[in-house]
Amino acid sequence: MNRNRALFDVAVLVVYLVAADPLLTGVPVHEFIGLGAFVVMGAHIVASGDGLAGRGRAGRLAMNIVLLVALAVCVVSGVMVSGAALPSLGLYATGYSFWDPLHAVAAKVLLAALIVHVVVRAPAALAVLRRKKNVTSSETLDALEF
């Protein structure tokens, strides 16, 4: 992990936090920022580049699978209950009584999994953000091991 990627990860977290609370932004803005957060989180996953589990850690694999499934369910159910984003495209979905509770549960699972993800990965990101520019790569790798 380099400094730019750590800063990008912090930006992903901020975008998610803004998107996560419809009371903060209003429902229409929540929907569009939520779609943007989905794209940014997808970029985060691609930028991670070490696969779902990284160095073969089963716990990280399980956490990342829960994150991905919760994100996918949250986005799909959010689109299905959309009151602004979907209608702006001239589309309407039925089944609100199914999709709305599913969206609420998926959002809570996503938040819980994201909290675990941040707690687990924060030491590595903080080590990268705190290091001086002239630190060697071997010292960086030592700081990232946990």
Short mmCIF file of all heavy atoms in Angstrom, two decimals, residues 14 41 84 115 140:
data_model
loop_
_atom_site.label_atom_id
_atom_site.label_comp_id
_atom_site.label_asym_id
_atom_site.label_seq_id
_atom_site.Cartn_x
_atom_site.Cartn_y
_atom_site.Cartn_z
N VAL A 14 -14.97 8.31 3.26
CA VAL A 14 -15.73 9.56 3.38
C VAL A 14 -16.94 9.55 2.46
O VAL A 14 -18.06 9.92 2.87
CB VAL A 14 -14.83 10.78 3.11
CG1 VAL A 14 -15.64 12.06 2.99
CG2 VAL A 14 -13.79 10.91 4.22
N MET A 41 -16.36 2.33 -4.43
CA MET A 41 -16.00 1.11 -3.69
C MET A 41 -15.53 0.03 -4.66
O MET A 41 -14.61 -0.73 -4.33
CB MET A 41 -17.16 0.62 -2.85
CG MET A 41 -17.43 1.49 -1.64
SD MET A 41 -18.88 0.90 -0.77
CE MET A 41 -18.43 1.31 0.89
N ALA A 84 -35.93 8.51 -6.68
CA ALA A 84 -35.37 9.59 -7.50
C ALA A 84 -34.50 9.08 -8.64
O ALA A 84 -34.71 9.45 -9.79
CB ALA A 84 -34.56 10.54 -6.62
N ILE A 115 -17.12 -1.39 9.44
CA ILE A 115 -16.46 -1.02 10.70
C ILE A 115 -15.36 -2.04 11.02
O ILE A 115 -14.23 -1.66 11.36
CB ILE A 115 -17.48 -0.91 11.86
CG1 ILE A 115 -18.35 0.33 11.66
CG2 ILE A 115 -16.77 -0.87 13.21
CD1 ILE A 115 -19.54 0.41 12.59
N THR A 140 8.77 -0.31 5.07
CA THR A 140 7.33 -0.17 4.82
C THR A 140 6.64 -1.51 4.97
O THR A 140 5.60 -1.62 5.61
CB THR A 140 7.07 0.39 3.42
OG1 THR A 140 7.73 1.65 3.31
CG2 THR A 140 5.59 0.57 3.16
#
